Amino acid sequence: SVQLFYDGGTNSTPKLATSASGVTVDGNIGVGTASASFPIHVFNDDTGTNNQVRIEQDGTGDAVLGFALTGTRAYSLGIDNSDSDKFKISTATNLHTNTLFTIDGANQRVGINNASPSHALDVSGSINSTGTISENGVTITSKATALSLVFS
């Protein structure tokens, strides 16, 4: 077991402790900063355009980041390794359950409520638009009482 302290003394409260079961931190973790303002604070002051945080998977699992409100709601986002490496957002603790949004980069497709989009934009469910929808010169507009197709 390794313990690190702010003042280096052995009688103070440990701020970072490691053991066989993991790492425990009391306070904020700063990467690139000595004054972390958040539980994990990554700071950079340069002109770089690469990742500041990277989640990488070298096995058959998913590279995933999770968000949760305990006992209420969970969201996950990441790369689904078991589904052709699609980028997904789901309402679960994994990527392949309750998929809300899918980016299929290999086929340049986006799915909303659809884990397997077959068109550039593939939506499963109703769509609402307050503007104009156009496709190759055909404009679709809607009023409260009618649907209008305009060919130009």
Side-chain angles (χ1 to χ4, degrees), residues 73-126:
R73 169 81 61 199
Y75 288 93
S76 296
L77 65 96
I79 302 170
D80 191 343
N81 202 357
S82 64
D83 190 11
S84 303
D85 300 334
K86 295 174 185 166
F87 182 84
K88 295 181 178 180
I89 299 174
S90 71
T91 60
T93 56
N94 61 63
L95 294 174
H96 50 273
T97 303
N98 301 327
T99 302
L100 295 175
F101 187 80
T102 303
I103 298 175
D104 180 351
N107 296 304
Q108 298 181 340
R109 297 177 181 158
V110 173
I112 298 175
N113 235 12
N114 186 335
S116 299
S118 57
H119 301 281
L121 177 60
D122 200 335
V123 179
S124 294
S126 299

Side-chain angles (χ1 to χ4, degrees), residues 13 26 40-41 58 94 97 105 123 131-132:
T13 303
D26 178 20
I40 298 176
H41 186 156
D58 193 29
N94 61 63
T97 303
V123 179
T132 301

Side-chain angles (χ1 to χ4, degrees), residues 15-85:
K15 299 300 179 182
L16 174 72
T18 62
S19 66
S21 62
V23 176
T24 303
V25 176
D26 178 20
N28 297 336
I29 298 171
V31 177
T33 179
S35 56
S37 305
F38 303 96
I40 298 176
H41 186 156
V42 179
F43 178 80
N44 225 349
D45 184 9
D46 63 16
T47 59
T49 57
N50 292 328
N51 300 340
Q52 282 188 271
V53 176
R54 181 180 184 102
I55 297 173
E56 185 171 350
Q57 171 62 268
D58 193 29
T60 58
D62 299 335
V64 62
L65 179 63
F67 302 86
L69 295 173
T70 304
T72 304
R73 169 81 61 199
Y75 288 93
S76 296
L77 65 96
I79 302 170
D80 191 343
N81 202 357
S82 64
D83 190 11
S84 303
D85 300 334

